[in-house]
């Protein structure tokens, strides 16, 4: 799903299915007009394609969404201080909620409980959920990664002294959520981010 494997495969005499971006661009096989102009890796069969909805989500949000709102219910708490309208996070979570077969995540860390809950819910409804994360961040304070592993979700780490700083999620092999957005509460509420 993400970085490192290509270099290791090539170093061991194998060939990566994913050409380096620079190579693809030099060979004229990059994206042209928003559509792939070169061959896709083998796991993209003729019946599959990458979806570009043009949906861009910007952060920070004014507040965290109310859990009742996220579940499509009416909040009955009188002084609820959470958001009761669509937010960047609620839009992000709605993409994960629509996944039907696979949710593949490659991210530095997950400390936003709402994202962890959405990944666990996808796993419980039968989606194959897999996570690759940074080895140093897996067990850091506030990380939800080990909780997700305990829930039965396969988790791998980069096993590298360098940061594994990717931030993307592939849904059903067709839709990609990608951008600067870290899967953290800080990113939701304070950082200038996009997904």
């Amino acid at each position: 799903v993400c970085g490192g494997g290509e270099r290791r495969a090539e170093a061991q005499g194998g060939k990566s299915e994913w050409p380096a971006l620079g190579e693809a661009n030099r060979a004229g096989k990059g994206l042209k007009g928003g559509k792939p102009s070169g061959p896709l890796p083998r796991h993209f069969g003729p019946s599959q394609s990458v979806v570009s909805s043009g949906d861009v989500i910007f952060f920070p949000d004014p507040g965290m969404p109310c859990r009742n709102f996220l579940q499509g219910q009416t909040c009955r708490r009188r002084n609820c201080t959470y958001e009761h309208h669509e937010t960047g996070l609620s839009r992000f979570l709605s993409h994960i909620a629509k996944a039907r077969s696979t949710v593949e995540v490659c991210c530095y860390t997950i400390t936003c409980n709402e994202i962890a809950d959405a990944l666990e819910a996808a796993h419980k409804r039968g989606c194959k959920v897999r996570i690759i994360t940074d080895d140093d961040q897996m067990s850091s304070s506030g990380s939800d990664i080990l909780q997700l592993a305990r829930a039965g979700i396969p988790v791998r780490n980069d096993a590298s002294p360098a940061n594994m700083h990717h931030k993307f999620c592939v849904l059903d092999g067709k839709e990609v959520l990608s951008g600067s957005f870290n899967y953290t509460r800080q990113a939701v509420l304070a950082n200038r981010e996009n997904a």
Side-chain angles (χ1 to χ4, degrees), residues 24-163:
N25 287 339
R26 282 191 296 279
K29 295 178 181 176
L31 290 180
K32 291 183 181 173
K35 297 185 179 179
S37 60
L40 289 172
R42 272 183 266 137
H43 69 273
F44 280 100
S47 64
Q48 294 179 311
S49 62
V50 176
V51 175
S52 173
S53 67
D55 189 19
V56 180
I57 303 169
F58 291 99
F59 297 90
D61 282 347
M64 295 301 285
C66 176
R67 286 192 183 266
N68 290 314
F69 174 79
L70 289 176
Q71 296 169 359
Q73 300 171 357
T74 303
C75 180
R76 300 193 189 288
R77 295 186 304 171
R78 234 174 216 208
N79 298 317
C80 183
T81 58
Y82 293 95
E83 301 298 318
H84 295 90
H85 56 85
E86 185 177 75
T87 63
L89 181 59
S90 67
R91 288 174 56 207
F92 185 86
L93 296 174
S94 73
H95 285 275
I96 295 172
K98 291 177 200 168
R100 293 294 161 241
S101 59
T102 60
V103 178
E104 299 172 299
V105 176
C106 188
C107 64
Y108 182 61
T109 189
I110 301 174
T111 62
C112 178
N113 296 341
E114 288 79 2
I115 294 174
D117 292 346
L119 294 172
E120 193 169 338
H123 174 69
K124 286 179 180 176
R125 71 174 177 269
C127 284
K128 181 179 180 181
V129 178
R130 301 186 299 172
I131 300 170
I132 300 175
T133 190
D134 185 79
D135 56 347
D136 292 330
Q137 292 299 311
M138 265 181 85
S139 57
S140 67
S141 178
S143 175
D144 293 320
I145 299 291
L146 296 178
Q147 165 202 326
L148 293 167
R150 282 190 296 273
I153 296 172
V155 173
R156 299 255 171 126
N157 67 61
D158 66 333
S160 168
N163 287 340

Side-chain angles (χ1 to χ4, degrees), residues 171-183:
L171 305 168
D172 296 332
K174 297 177 183 180
E175 182 179 4
V176 178
L177 301 175
S178 180
S180 65
F181 179 59
N182 286 295
Y183 296 8

Side-chain angles (χ1 to χ4, degrees), residues 10-29:
E10 289 170 359
Q12 295 169 354
K15 181 137 174 78
S16 169
E17 288 182 32
W18 292 90
L21 182 58
E23 290 173 32
N25 287 339
R26 282 191 296 279
K29 295 178 181 176

